[in-house]
């Protein structure tokens, strides 16, 4: 159950990142809801995951998934750089997250 909470937390973190991006462009109530609701919900589910998983592992996996997802979404939908260095760095993050999950 803990891993499900971490995944939900990572998805909500991504919602928060998208909301932050949108809110910085245009300050609307909906964008604020995405921003604050996404990050707020992410922390609630991450905190709940600590009841089932080691804090260090859950936190690191949450950060890794959220970071990788944010980079991918920003590359695909917000025209951020798709340079080879960014893609290689993204792969290193994904390998690290998978490695942490595999050993826990």
């Amino acid at each position: 159950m803990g891993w499900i909470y971490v995944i939900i937390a990572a998805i909500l973190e991504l919602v928060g990142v998208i909301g932050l991006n949108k809110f910085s462009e245009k300050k609307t109530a909906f964008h604020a809801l995405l921003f604050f609701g996404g990050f707020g919900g992410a922390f609630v589910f991450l905190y709940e995951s600590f009841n089932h998983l080691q804090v260090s592992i859950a936190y690191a996996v949450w950060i890794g998934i959220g970071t990788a997802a944010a980079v991918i979404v920003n590359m695909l939908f917000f025209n951020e750089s798709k340079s080879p260095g960014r893609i290689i760095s993204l792969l290193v993050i994904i390998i690290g997250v998978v490695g942490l999950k595999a050993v826990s």
Side-chain angles (χ1 to χ4, degrees), residues 1-70:
M1 193 68 185
W3 290 114
I4 292 171
Y5 290 142
V6 171
I7 291 169
I8 293 169
I11 291 168
L12 288 171
E13 182 187 14
L14 180 58
V15 169
V17 168
I18 292 169
L20 176 60
N21 190 319
K22 293 295 190 179
F23 190 74
S24 69
E25 293 172 357
K26 185 176 182 185
K27 291 171 179 45
T28 66
F30 179 69
H31 294 159
L33 178 65
L34 287 176
F35 173 36
F36 291 110
F39 283 123
F43 284 118
V44 167
F45 279 95
L46 179 65
Y47 180 78
E48 183 59 32
S49 76
F50 295 162
N51 293 321
H52 306 276
L53 303 168
Q54 294 175 1
V55 171
S56 60
I57 299 295
Y59 181 75
V61 170
W62 172 67
I63 288 294
I65 293 171
T67 302

